[in-house]
Amino acid sequence: MDDQEQAAVVVGASGGIGAATVRLLRASGRFAVVHALSRSETGFDLEDEASIAEAAARVAEGPPPTLVFVATGVLHHGFEPERGYRALGAEHMLRDYRINTVGPALTAKHFLPLTPRDRRAVFTALSARVGSIGDNRLGGWHSYRASKAALNMVLRNLALELGRTHPQAVVAGLHPGTVDTALSQPFQREVRPERLFTADHSAERLLAVINGLTPADSGGVFAWDGARIPE
């Protein structure tokens, strides 16, 4: 990075991975400001586009963001992941799409115009390995899988479009592994202890992945160890 002032934006800063990412970014000293956005702290609501636009307007008053990290997602809150198609329900599916797909897409709509065109900038969002169509061998978890697969398509679209105007930009999805947060707690029984990460460890690994991404990687989804996840 050069010595120009730059900002980072973390959406979902009150969650486990989001909060850990904010701490690491602030400790790094790389950014003039790290904007920590969440519904509980700043009124940023992925289901309310007006709140997203208001947050972008506040960010626009300072240094341009060269990192926007959407560290949000929903899996089971109020619903159990569907084990089979008989459990499908419109309310569950639409909720997952609103938070896992539409919210990050609208965040990109309002924050990508703030990123500089003359240097590297990264827009990334938490995806999931189970959102991979090519890697799906088990089925089930219909709403979560489908909403993350749709997010991956949104990210690919954004990468193609942004590449025409921001040649150094990177857009990518990130799979954090199984992290010891509220999202994964009901499903940790089958996870080997060495594969259950703390939020700090996951955030550290994800930031390392982000730092290693190039424009040639834009549009892809990458796991916490840097491996590209099949589409």
Side-chain angles (χ1 to χ4, degrees), residues 97-144:
Y97 271 90
R98 287 195 305 271
I99 296 175
N100 292 338
T101 311
V102 179
L106 293 177
T107 301
K109 172 185 174 180
H110 290 282
F111 281 84
L112 286 180
L114 308 182
T115 59
R117 298 190 180 202
D118 61 346
R119 50 190 155 136
R120 185 177 185 268
V122 178
F123 180 93
T124 188
L126 285 184
S127 186
R129 186 177 297 277
V130 298
S132 166
I133 294 174
D135 194 53
N136 185 0
R137 300 290 184 270
L138 297 175
W141 288 32
H142 293 279
S143 297
Y144 187 70

Side-chain angles (χ1 to χ4, degrees), residues 135-159:
D135 194 53
N136 185 0
R137 300 290 184 270
L138 297 175
W141 288 32
H142 293 279
S143 297
Y144 187 70
R145 284 185 186 273
S147 64
K148 289 297 188 178
L151 170 64
N152 295 345
M153 179 59 79
V154 169
L155 294 172
R156 174 61 64 85
N157 280 346
L158 294 172

Side-chain angles (χ1 to χ4, degrees), residues 75-110:
L75 171 56
H76 58 82
H77 188 69
F79 297 96
E80 286 297 316
E82 310 97 333
R83 301 296 179 180
Y85 64 85
R86 289 183 177 86
L88 283 168
E91 185 179 355
H92 184 178
M93 293 197 79
L94 291 171
R95 189 282 306 270
D96 281 16
Y97 271 90
R98 287 195 305 271
I99 296 175
N100 292 338
T101 311
V102 179
L106 293 177
T107 301
K109 172 185 174 180
H110 290 282

Side-chain angles (χ1 to χ4, degrees), residues 37-100:
L37 305 180
S38 69
R39 182 164 54 185
S40 60
E41 298 296 329
T42 62
F44 185 102
D45 187 349
L46 284 174
E47 297 183 79
D48 179 5
E49 185 175 359
S51 76
I52 299 173
E54 289 170 4
R58 293 194 298 271
V59 170
E61 296 174 355
T66 56
L67 172 62
V68 180
F69 183 7
V70 183
T72 59
V74 66
L75 171 56
H76 58 82
H77 188 69
F79 297 96
E80 286 297 316
E82 310 97 333
R83 301 296 179 180
Y85 64 85
R86 289 183 177 86
L88 283 168
E91 185 179 355
H92 184 178
M93 293 197 79
L94 291 171
R95 189 282 306 270
D96 281 16
Y97 271 90
R98 287 195 305 271
I99 296 175
N100 292 338

